[in-house]
Amino acid sequence: MAHSYKLRYFNLQGRAELARLVFAAAGVEYEDVRYEFADWPKLKASTPFGQIPVLEVDGKAMAQSNAIARYLAREFGLAGKTAWDQGQVDMLVETMMDIGAPVPKIRQCTDEDEKAKLKKSFAEEHLPHYMEAIQKILEENREGKGFLVGDEITLADLAFMCGQDWLKLAMDNPLEKYPKLQEYVDRLAAIPKMAEWLKKRPKSEL
């Protein structure tokens, strides 16, 4: 029996976009419910913890963006084929969270000199530390011509792809010095199901 899925979030990419990419990669239909900020106060009490995104599966609610994405990935066969692969996928999803962690501080900084220092540190120290490691992981898996884990797209690939828009809030082109990673992201975006979603998804602020 097919499940009924409803994903509730603001009219943003934000913390729901990874789950949307999972739905797209799996080719599974769902209801993409998008709220305006003005509507949120009256809807807050209808969520498990007073926050969104919330995924409803056959009327039952689940909160927390990464829990939602991992649940969907497991349901749709995108979590990795073996226990080891699943661990590697989780590792890379968590790594993307670490990479993006400094972005809010950079965005919210109002002192231009301090912001410039934060951006410089991000671009020259923080980002290379992670991107070089991820590029190595990619290259060691089928010479960089496939995916981050295994021989099929997984949540790890979707998390990396999704994270690029977030990183662009801190610098214009986070993959400028990593052409192999840029080629990899372009390859993911060209997968027909992914290309279809990227073309049709609603235009919004990040």
Side-chain angles (χ1 to χ4, degrees):
M1 179 178 175
H3 292 294
S4 172
Y5 298 101
K6 180 186 294 186
L7 185 63
R8 301 165 57 197
Y9 193 57
F10 296 115
N11 188 27
L12 303 168
Q13 292 182 36
R15 294 185 178 275
E17 193 63 16
L18 181 54
R20 295 181 184 127
L21 290 178
V22 175
F23 277 119
V28 174
E29 294 292 325
Y30 69 105
E31 187 177 352
D32 186 14
V33 179
R34 295 173 179 246
Y35 300 127
E36 299 301 326
F37 286 106
D39 298 326
W40 174 237
K42 62 185 179 184
L43 298 166
K44 190 172 183 178
S46 69
T47 67
F49 302 112
Q51 60 190 36
I52 46 179
V54 166
L55 175 70
E56 294 182 7
V57 184
D58 301 331
K60 296 184 291 185
M62 176 187 298
Q64 298 294 344
S65 55
N66 278 352
I68 291 168
R70 286 191 173 103
Y71 166 79
L72 293 172
R74 290 193 297 268
E75 284 288 290
F76 304 152
L78 300 173
K81 292 181 178 179
T82 68
W84 177 258
D85 283 355
Q86 290 164 12
Q88 294 294 295
V89 168
D90 284 346
M91 174 188 77
L92 288 160
V93 171
E94 292 301 314
T95 298
M96 285 309 301
M97 298 294 292
D98 290 344
I99 296 174
V103 173
K105 184 177 181 179
I106 294 172
R107 290 190 70 198
Q108 294 163 14
C109 183
T110 57
D111 183 286
E112 292 304 317
D113 290 338
E114 179 63 20
K115 178 174 283 193
K117 291 178 182 177
L118 291 173
K119 284 187 172 183
K120 180 179 174 63
S121 175
F122 182 82
E124 297 181 2
E125 299 173 22
H126 180 81
L127 194 68
H129 171 74
Y130 288 103
M131 289 301 179
E132 289 168 10
I134 292 176
Q135 183 164 277
K136 182 180 179 183
I137 290 171
L138 178 67
E139 290 172 341
E140 289 177 347
N141 188 30
R142 292 163 176 75
E143 300 180 344
K145 298 177 182 178
F147 305 99
L148 286 173
V149 180
D151 56 6
E152 295 179 355
I153 193 169
T154 68
L155 183 62
D157 303 297
L158 300 175
F160 189 83
M161 180 182 179
C162 186
Q164 299 314 305
D165 286 334
W166 178 248
L167 297 180
K168 287 175 183 176
L169 297 176
M171 59 186 300
D172 290 337
N173 187 357
L175 297 182
E176 183 176 11
K177 296 181 180 179
Y178 310 97
K180 290 182 180 179
L181 289 178
Q182 183 62 66
E183 179 185 349
Y184 156 67
V185 170
D186 291 343
R187 192 165 65 247
L188 294 177
I191 295 172
K193 289 178 182 177
M194 306 311 301
E196 180 183 0
W197 169 249
L198 295 174
K199 182 178 180 179
K200 76 177 185 180
R201 69 181 176 185
K203 303 294 183 183
S204 69
E205 297 180 7
L206 185 64

